[in-house]
Amino acid sequence: MEIHFLGAANTVTGSQFLLITDRARVLIDCGMFQGGPHEVVRNRVPFAYDPTSLDAVVLTHAHLDHCGLIPHLVAEGFNGPIYATRGTIELATLVLLDSGKLQEEYAKRHSHWAAKNPDKAAREDQRDEAEIEAQEQIAAQEEAAAAALASTGAPVASIGAPVGLHAGDLTPDGHVIASGVDELALHDEQGLGTRMGYPPVGHPDHDAAMAGSPAHPNLVLEEPVYDLAQAQTSLTHFHATTYETPLDVAPGITAVFHDAGHILGSSIVELRIAAQKDVPARTIIFSGDLGRTAAPILRDPAIISQADYVLVESTYGGREHEPEEESLTQLEQAVKDIEATQGVLLIPSFAIGRTQEVVWALRHLLDAGRIPDVQLFLDSPMASKASTIYREHTDYYDADTLALLKKGEGPIDYPEAKETPLAAQSEAIERSKRPYVLVASNGMLTGGRVLNHLRTLIGDPKAMILFVGYQGEATLGARLQAGVKTARVDGQEYPVRCAIRSISGFSAHADESELLAWLGNFIAGRKAGDPGVPRRVFIVHGDPDAQAALEPKIQALGLPTMAPHWHQTVVLD
């Protein structure tokens, strides 16, 4: 029995793990790589296996970096079932259809630019092909090493360097353009264009728009990884399951989905593998993305206390979140401040998970009499659709949220909130009576309608931009957080006169203390080698610095660890 680490290895994104036994081949997640060129290009590297050989796919949740390559997998020949919770399937439908459509549109726009700039396009193509070849060579080296050492049963040593920041890389969403002219960017609520490596071409003044951007543009090929039709086809493979219900997903492999508390329907996946020739029955836990303890709306991550192997995320290794009350107090103060100045509070927020939590917090503060009753605008069509799915799946709610429902209070419904599905409605917001709060996608200022509002408000001393999530390095959001005095919007420099504030406590990821507390359940009252104590904890879904900070603390619990590299194979005994 062996596991291949084909994504989320020494990097946060691209979740993909292949479990091979004597009787079956099961893929856990099939996510997109996002970020700089050395990561984005890996979406173009051929799968490390024949997709037709897979028995099943098991999906932890609906974020793009966990499900984003499923349409590509199906297009390449996978014809089996994809198991996930019903909440995950409904959210993944939104995410994948949006991804396929946007990839088509970005590829067409890039093709149009390439036709006008053939020399530049040829140079980019040569660079792209060289980078893909380099990544394929790294993958091939890892696979060759695995084949050479598989017979020893020892973990395979890594050859490839960890995916981190490299000189000349664009870190997540490195190309930033905020433009009322760039209509495609305004539809991109997931920030897919910049995350997938499409530069902001198709702009009336492309050179001006690119001025001041990092020296090397993101990697891009003219063809989308998959299109809308392929995304639609992939949805026919989904099969719904429920939490805590054993499900036979492949010969000799039973899956149990546990609540991860990250976003609606998110799961910790437990795989129970029947005994094989020389290996006794084993249990492997895949944490997926773990949510926070005592976070609003959803239940806490399920406590699991026995496993032979654990794969644990490490996104927030070395970092702690603000306490919930501190975050609420900061949000309260921001609303009071814009009410006092008759201003505007702009909250950039991703559509799935974060927006629903922000609305919950505003409703909580309003009901407690801590903030004035200011107008709230929700300017994100995808967030509106996601919120509808959240409202329809109350079975995922925690006890506190269910208690609110019984009293007739909608936990993600703010009184008199105005949703603006039409573009004309979105444009009319700036003419509304102040003060008001505006939540718009996306959360890093790299796409979506928030860009139009940013252009209007960034120079307004009575406006405030409140960040409630992580801002990728080199994004406009990160620059504003760093205190820049001017910002390039639409190729023009604008003075930053609005207030800039940040709250870190709204993250949907467990912080370091919460990760360690969850892992502590596997060894509480026991020691390494005792029944049920993991033989090894594999640290995944984290950048190298986060993993390096977390690993010795996991070891201090008494648990052996490993932080695998991309395409590394480990034999499980």
Side-chain angles (χ1 to χ4, degrees), residues 38-77:
H38 291 277
E39 294 179 68
V40 169
V41 72
R42 293 183 172 183
N43 294 314
R44 307 281 181 175
V45 173
F47 289 115
Y49 47 85
D50 178 0
T52 65
S53 70
L54 298 179
D55 292 281
V57 174
V58 174
L59 178 61
T60 60
H61 67 282
H63 277 150
L64 196 69
D65 62 322
H66 289 255
C67 71
L69 286 183
I70 283 176
H72 183 45
L73 184 75
V74 172
E76 290 295 304

Side-chain angles (χ1 to χ4, degrees), residues 48-120:
Y49 47 85
D50 178 0
T52 65
S53 70
L54 298 179
D55 292 281
V57 174
V58 174
L59 178 61
T60 60
H61 67 282
H63 277 150
L64 196 69
D65 62 322
H66 289 255
C67 71
L69 286 183
I70 283 176
H72 183 45
L73 184 75
V74 172
E76 290 295 304
F78 173 69
N79 196 35
I82 302 169
Y83 296 105
T85 64
R86 192 169 300 280
T88 290
I89 292 172
E90 293 191 25
L91 290 176
T93 298
L94 285 182
V95 169
L96 295 178
L97 293 181
D98 183 66
S99 173
K101 180 179 179 181
L102 286 168
Q103 285 189 67
E104 281 186 20
E105 294 177 356
Y106 274 112
K108 287 178 182 176
R109 195 174 67 172
H110 178 73
S111 180
H112 179 71
W113 172 83
K116 291 185 175 182
N117 301 271
D119 292 339
K120 290 182 181 178

Side-chain angles (χ1 to χ4, degrees), residues 440-465:
S441 291
N442 67 51
M444 290 189 190
L445 305 181
T446 61
R449 292 180 177 181
V450 70
L451 302 179
N452 257 349
H453 303 300
L454 175 71
R455 185 181 53 166
T456 301
L457 297 172
I458 196 168
D460 185 346
K462 293 186 177 182
M464 180 189 300
I465 299 175

Side-chain angles (χ1 to χ4, degrees), residues 1-5 8-10 17 19 154-156 283-288 308-314 518-519 534-542 547 550-551 554 559-565 568-573:
M1 181 169 61
E2 60 190 36
I3 186 166
H4 297 243
F5 294 85
N10 287 138
F17 311 103
L19 176 67
V156 178
T283 297
I284 307 175
I285 300 294
F286 297 81
S287 76
D308 294 295
Y309 298 96
V310 176
L311 280 72
V312 66
E313 69 130 311
S314 55
W518 183 78
L519 285 169
R535 301 162 67 85
R536 189 171 298 276
V537 173
F538 298 101
I539 306 172
V540 294
H541 294 291
Q547 293 183 331
L550 183 62
E551 185 166 24
I554 297 175
L559 297 171
T561 62
M562 174 185 289
H565 294 303
Q568 184 168 353
T569 297
V570 176
V571 175
L572 306 178
D573 56 10

Side-chain angles (χ1 to χ4, degrees), residues 486-498:
T486 60
R488 185 171 293 277
V489 182
D490 237 2
Q492 300 180 32
E493 293 287 343
Y494 287 82
V496 180
R497 296 195 178 100
C498 65

Side-chain angles (χ1 to χ4, degrees), residues 62-64 90-102 186-192 195 349-356 378-391 419-422 439-443 448-449:
H63 277 150
L64 196 69
E90 293 191 25
L91 290 176
T93 298
L94 285 182
V95 169
L96 295 178
L97 293 181
D98 183 66
S99 173
K101 180 179 179 181
L102 286 168
L186 293 178
H187 290 292
D188 189 357
E189 296 191 66
Q190 300 188 70
L192 184 74
R195 288 177 171 216
S349 179
F350 281 103
I352 297 176
R354 188 62 47 80
T355 291
Q356 291 75 32
L378 299 173
D379 193 22
S380 167
M382 179 178 281
S384 296
K385 294 175 183 176
S387 293
T388 297
I389 295 172
Y390 266 69
R391 294 185 189 101
E419 296 184 358
T420 51
L422 302 179
V439 180
S441 291
N442 67 51
R449 292 180 177 181

Side-chain angles (χ1 to χ4, degrees), residues 210-528:
M210 293 297 291
S213 296
H216 300 284
N218 247 342
L219 293 165
V220 60
L221 297 180
E222 292 185 18
E223 293 299 318
V225 177
Y226 56 86
D227 57 25
L228 177 58
Q230 290 168 328
Q232 290 172 324
T233 298
S234 72
L235 299 178
T236 64
H237 290 260
F238 280 93
H239 293 254
T241 187
T242 56
Y243 290 139
E244 308 304 328
T245 303
L247 175 69
D248 292 335
V249 297
I253 299 180
T254 299
V256 182
F257 289 70
H258 306 279
D259 198 338
H262 175 58
I263 63 172
L264 192 87
S266 59
S267 300
I268 301 162
V269 172
E270 174 184 351
L271 293 186
R272 301 170 182 171
I273 298 94
Q276 301 174 69
K277 295 177 183 177
D278 301 317
V279 181
R282 296 296 189 202
T283 297
I284 307 175
I285 300 294
F286 297 81
S287 76
D289 285 351
L290 289 174
R292 301 197 61 196
T293 302
I297 305 176
L298 303 177
R299 292 186 292 265
D300 291 350
I303 295 174
I304 304 173
S305 59
Q306 296 193 47
D308 294 295
Y309 298 96
V310 176
L311 280 72
V312 66
E313 69 130 311
S314 55
T315 307
Y316 275 85
R319 289 185 286 172
E320 303 289 338
H321 296 312
E322 296 167 345
E324 178 185 310
E325 182 53 37
E326 184 176 339
S327 298
L328 289 172
T329 299
Q330 292 180 56
L331 179 59
E332 172 189 358
Q333 190 60 53
V335 174
K336 287 180 175 178
D337 288 348
I338 64 103
E339 195 270 342
T341 61
Q342 296 295 289
V344 175
L345 177 61
L346 174 62
I347 305 178
S349 179
F350 281 103
I352 297 176
R354 188 62 47 80
T355 291
Q356 291 75 32
E357 189 173 351
V358 168
V359 174
W360 175 91
L362 289 168
R363 173 67 185 263
H364 175 79
L365 292 172
L366 183 65
D367 289 346
R370 294 172 60 176
I371 60 172
D373 187 6
V374 298
Q375 180 64 59
L376 172 64
F377 291 96
L378 299 173
D379 193 22
S380 167
M382 179 178 281
S384 296
K385 294 175 183 176
S387 293
T388 297
I389 295 172
Y390 266 69
R391 294 185 189 101
E392 292 173 347
H393 286 280
T394 59
D395 50 316
Y396 294 113
Y397 289 3
D398 62 19
D400 292 340
T401 306
L402 289 174
L404 288 175
L405 284 177
K406 288 181 180 179
K407 294 192 297 182
E409 300 177 10
I412 56 173
D413 294 315
Y414 185 92
E416 305 302 322
K418 293 183 179 179
E419 296 184 358
T420 51
L422 302 179
Q425 295 172 322
S426 174
E427 293 168 1
I429 292 174
E430 67 176 280
R431 300 189 292 275
S432 300
K433 181 180 178 180
R434 298 185 175 193
Y436 60 83
V437 177
L438 170 58
V439 180
S441 291
N442 67 51
M444 290 189 190
L445 305 181
T446 61
R449 292 180 177 181
V450 70
L451 302 179
N452 257 349
H453 303 300
L454 175 71
R455 185 181 53 166
T456 301
L457 297 172
I458 196 168
D460 185 346
K462 293 186 177 182
M464 180 189 300
I465 299 175
L466 180 63
F467 292 106
V468 293
Y470 172 73
Q471 301 299 303
E473 190 175 346
T475 62
L476 182 54
R479 294 185 186 116
L480 291 174
Q481 281 185 324
V484 295
K485 301 301 182 183
T486 60
R488 185 171 293 277
V489 182
D490 237 2
Q492 300 180 32
E493 293 287 343
Y494 287 82
V496 180
R497 296 195 178 100
C498 65
I500 306 292
R501 297 184 189 176
S502 301
I503 300 175
S504 69
F506 283 106
S507 174
H509 282 271
D511 62 17
E512 182 177 83
S513 292
E514 291 165 329
L515 290 171
L516 292 171
W518 183 78
L519 285 169
N521 293 298
F522 288 98
I523 198 168
R526 294 169 290 173
K527 64 182 184 301

